[in-house]
Amino acid sequence: MIKINTAENFIRDFRSKGTEKTNPEIIETVAKILEDIKIRGDKAVKEYEKKFDGVDLEELEVSEAEKSSALKIVGKDFIKILERAAKNIYDFHSKQLRNGFMFSNSDGVILGQRVIPLEKVGLYVPGGTASYPSTVLMNAIPAKIAGCENIIVTTPPEIKPEIIAASHVAGVDRIYKIGGAQAVAALAFGTESVMKVDKIVGPGNIFVAEAKRQVFGHVAIDMIAGPSEILIIADEKNSPSNIAADLLAQAEHDRLASSILITDSKILAERVRDEIENQITKLERHDIARASIDNNGAVILVETLKEAENIANEIAPEHLELCVENPFESLTRIKNAGSVFLGKYSPEALGDYYAGANHTLPTMGTARFSSPLSVDDFVKKSQYIYYNEDALKKVSDDIEAFAKSEGLTGHANSITIRKCLQEK
């Protein structure tokens, strides 16, 4: 049963939790997989798929016939749902597009910045007990808007047709039947079949997360995602059944997921706790939700809702619901949160699938300094500088003095030698 706690006790427990280190055996196992695939390519990938997923793969890439079959299986109605969600995601993320700039601050000087899309990006989509077509849309559409030329999806074998359908709607170029650390390795280093990418995005299990950590530097990554989180700030005017449903929606993700309610109403706290017990047994993934609620769920009683906002800023949750009378006013005081859901009719599931804002969000308190996935994740910036002869002459003495102050006489000489040529 979910625990009802005071803010003081909760914050004390929250601060005492240290960051768990990855098991050394997992680190070593992942390192071996990465090195093996780096050397042996497709052959090693197929061996690991046989070992971990029990699948003999002749071809790693999803064929056109498999794509056509998947679209027929999901049906036109589901494809239309995907298309409506995709439009919302496109409309939101297209507002994030940046332009380069160029300016001159004096005669003979031009400075500027270019915004350039990454050429090749890899998107990892989890398999397992659930299907995540929403992950495809949320990652591939911003990459498409950014202008990436090659968008590649990897996902474990026995691919659910919904994943293929979402890839079709989002404009993914290729789909590979590869899961786990071996998928990250194939994307990071390239194989005979899989193109080496510039960046890997998307969530996964602990092996995927560790593989992303280890290949960072060879390629870019989006983030190391932790267990999913929701924090709800609610006043007494809320429906206990709605709040309980939102907490459970997060709890069913993962046994390690955390679902937290902060309220100034003891009556609401108790009714939400009871309602969770009424609803949890009806969930298909009730065992997962039960473990999450019992181990990581909490209801926190506070004196005022402003105190709740302060706690939220300290926790920096992945998802934050503001189920209060004036949510937009409350929003002005929220500094740390991945995505904020305003009012009683904006449940977190709306953001997971359909509204358009991204659902790939910072977890484990990293919303203090990290942002949701966006078009910015799929571009890089390059700057340029132009000085003509007269413009360089005007600043030569300053640059020489600056370089000499750092003991870098070679830098100074690269200016001096030009100045001497100008004086001849």
Side-chain angles (χ1 to χ4, degrees):
M1 180 175 288
I2 200 165
K3 299 176 282 289
I4 297 180
N5 214 335
T6 64
E8 181 181 355
N9 289 339
F10 178 83
I11 291 298
R12 184 193 63 224
D13 294 343
F14 175 75
R15 287 173 175 161
S16 69
K17 289 182 178 179
T19 303
E20 292 187 8
K21 294 183 178 179
T22 305
N23 186 313
E25 291 183 7
I26 292 176
I27 295 173
E28 184 179 355
T29 297
V30 168
K32 288 179 179 178
I33 293 171
L34 296 179
E35 186 63 23
D36 194 15
I37 289 173
K38 184 178 180 181
I39 295 170
R40 297 196 298 125
D42 281 356
K43 185 176 181 181
V45 171
K46 292 177 181 179
E47 288 175 7
Y48 286 117
E49 283 305 329
K50 174 88 181 276
K51 179 178 179 180
F52 296 128
D53 293 316
V55 178
D56 271 316
L57 294 174
E58 291 186 12
E59 299 294 331
L60 298 177
E61 187 173 357
V62 174
S63 68
E64 291 302 318
E66 289 173 305
K67 293 177 184 177
S68 297
S69 175
L71 294 179
K72 291 177 183 177
I73 291 170
V74 300
K76 294 180 180 179
D77 289 343
F78 183 69
I79 291 174
K80 287 179 181 177
I81 292 171
L82 290 174
E83 289 172 344
R84 290 193 289 270
K87 182 182 184 304
N88 293 339
I89 296 166
Y90 182 90
D91 289 346
F92 180 88
H93 289 82
S94 62
K95 304 291 191 298
Q96 299 172 341
L97 271 172
R98 297 191 186 199
N99 295 317
F101 60 82
M102 181 173 68
F103 72 97
S104 177
N105 56 10
S106 63
D107 290 341
V109 175
I110 298 173
L111 300 173
Q113 179 175 280
R114 300 169 65 210
V115 179
I116 306 166
L118 302 181
E119 291 183 26
K120 297 163 285 188
V121 296
L123 164 56
Y124 186 86
V125 181
T129 58
S131 174
Y132 297 101
S134 58
T135 296
V136 178
L137 299 183
M138 291 290 181
N139 286 266
I141 291 173
K144 202 75 176 177
I145 292 170
C148 298
E149 294 180 8
N150 294 280
I151 303 172
I152 300 167
V153 163
T154 62
T155 190
E158 308 297 335
I159 301 175
K160 293 180 172 61
E162 292 83 0
I163 299 297
I164 295 175
S167 298
H168 170 77
V169 169
V172 166
D173 296 292
R174 292 181 175 181
I175 310 170
Y176 289 92
K177 295 175 275 192
I178 314 172
Q182 56 270 29
V184 175
L187 292 170
F189 304 122
T191 72
E192 298 89 336
S193 299
V194 183
M195 180 186 299
K196 182 185 186 301
V197 301
D198 302 311
K199 186 167 188 174
I200 300 171
V201 301
N205 63 20
I206 192 168
F207 291 93
V208 171
E210 178 57 28
K212 286 172 68 177
R213 191 194 308 276
Q214 290 190 29
V215 300
F216 177 65
H218 296 284
V219 294
I221 62 172
D222 51 350
M223 64 184 76
I224 305 295
S228 200
E229 312 154 354
I230 189 170
L231 191 156
I232 302 175
I233 297 176
D235 59 27
E236 63 182 359
K237 296 180 181 179
N238 280 273
S239 159
S241 59
N242 288 353
I243 300 297
D246 290 358
L247 292 169
L248 287 172
Q250 207 63 30
E252 73 172 352
H253 263 299
D254 187 337
R255 295 174 188 274
L256 299 177
S258 59
S259 301
I260 301 167
L261 166 65
I262 308 180
T263 181
D264 59 352
S265 169
K266 186 176 180 181
I267 292 174
L268 179 68
E270 292 173 345
R271 289 181 176 174
V272 167
R273 180 185 59 189
D274 294 341
E275 188 61 32
I276 285 173
E277 295 306 308
N278 290 335
Q279 293 184 26
I280 197 167
T281 57
K282 301 179 178 68
L283 300 178
E284 287 187 14
R285 294 164 65 89
H286 61 86
D287 288 345
I288 293 172
R290 176 88 273 166
S292 170
I293 288 293
D294 289 350
N295 297 323
N296 305 302
V299 175
I300 307 167
L301 282 172
V302 292
E303 294 293 328
T304 68
L305 291 178
K306 285 191 177 180
E307 183 184 353
E309 293 163 359
N310 291 335
I311 295 171
N313 282 327
E314 182 162 356
I315 294 173
E318 178 187 16
H319 307 96
L320 173 63
E321 288 188 13
L322 298 177
C323 298
V324 295
E325 191 171 350
N326 296 305
F328 283 93
E329 180 186 338
S330 183
L331 178 64
T332 63
R333 295 185 288 272
I334 296 300
K335 299 177 181 178
N336 302 324
S339 193
V340 185
F341 300 79
L342 304 174
K344 303 173 185 178
Y345 302 102
S346 303
E348 184 269 332
L350 184 66
D352 269 352
Y353 302 111
Y354 204 81
N358 211 283
H359 80 192
T360 303
L361 305 168
T363 61
M364 300 184 296
T366 58
R368 291 179 294 109
F369 50 80
S370 297
S371 307
L373 191 80
S374 71
V375 172
D376 287 343
D377 286 283
F378 299 100
V379 299
K380 60 182 179 179
K381 302 170 189 72
S382 177
Q383 59 192 32
Y384 54 90
I385 301 166
Y386 168 81
Y387 273 57
N388 68 14
E389 185 176 1
D390 289 341
L392 179 62
K393 186 175 182 180
K394 290 177 184 177
V395 299
S396 291
D397 291 345
D398 285 352
I399 299 169
E400 284 176 319
F402 217 142
K404 288 174 182 177
S405 76
E406 294 187 346
L408 299 175
T409 54
H411 282 63
N413 187 56
S414 72
I415 300 298
T416 305
I417 200 166
R418 285 175 169 79
K419 190 164 66 173
C420 291
L421 288 172
Q422 288 172 332
E423 292 171 352
K424 285 183 179 180

